[in-house]
Amino acid sequence: MNATMEKFGWPATQVAQFAHWTVLARPAQPTLGALVLAAKSDATAFGDLPAEAHAELKIVTAAIEAALGRAVGYRRLNYLMLMMVDPHVHFHVIPRYEGAREWQGREFVDCGWPKVPDLGHAVALEGSDREELVQWLKGHFDQSDGSGASTRSA
């Protein structure tokens, strides 16, 4: 656990975890299903992560792509490693799609499509709405990823 994970709501926002990584529902959703993929390490440089963390990215990204494919039917998936304010190694995972997706009566429009994602335009979810989103996403991680392996949700 590190301060960056806490900033994004860990442990309440955790939808899946792996040996070196945790997957969090992003509290501000620029598109439906936006996640934070955070290293559990205190590393502040990508190259400082242990080799095992880099190797595990293959498993983690496959799980994310399968889960978000089921959840929102994205057209593209953007992994953004910004690390300007929050220093620990993490990616913002933004599902991209043309138009909008609806969830729980709310509309989530990809305002940046087909260009750079508009992170400033986001639906902020709090309280029970955020809890429902976390549970909904966990359900997609609990399903098989198509390779016969099950992803591990929190």
Side-chain angles (χ1 to χ4, degrees):
M1 192 266 298
N2 57 51
T4 297
M5 291 169 53
E6 282 185 333
K7 175 166 181 213
F8 289 104
W10 181 90
T13 58
Q14 184 171 280
V15 297
Q17 68 172 322
F18 300 83
H20 298 277
W21 298 91
T22 189
V23 181
L24 309 170
R26 197 173 187 277
Q29 295 273 297
T31 60
L32 181 60
L35 304 171
V36 174
L37 170 57
K40 292 180 178 179
S41 161
D42 283 327
T44 57
F46 192 44
D48 288 345
L49 292 175
E52 297 83 10
H54 287 278
E56 191 179 46
L57 276 176
K58 166 69 174 122
I59 296 163
V60 176
T61 55
I64 287 171
E65 291 164 12
L68 289 179
R70 287 186 291 270
V72 299
Y74 64 85
R75 186 152 168 211
R76 298 272 189 264
L77 198 59
N78 292 165
Y79 290 87
L80 308 174
M81 184 181 272
L82 303 173
M83 294 172 32
M84 296 300 292
V85 175
D86 307 302
H88 300 98
V89 175
H90 70 287
F91 297 87
H92 295 264
V93 183
I94 312 298
R96 305 300 309 279
Y97 45 79
E98 189 170 1
R101 299 293 187 269
E102 189 174 315
W103 178 80
Q104 301 287 73
R106 291 186 177 192
E107 187 174 69
F108 297 78
V109 177
D110 186 344
C111 291
W113 181 266
K115 298 182 180 176
V116 177
D118 183 354
L119 300 180
H121 176 89
V123 176
L125 297 175
E126 298 176 346
S128 62
D129 289 336
R130 186 177 74 178
E131 290 170 18
E132 288 179 30
L133 178 75
V134 168
Q135 292 307 312
W136 179 70
L137 289 169
K138 278 184 182 181
H140 291 289
F141 276 90
D142 285 340
Q143 298 177 29
S144 169
D145 66 5
S147 69
S150 292
T151 58
R152 297 180 297 173
S153 71

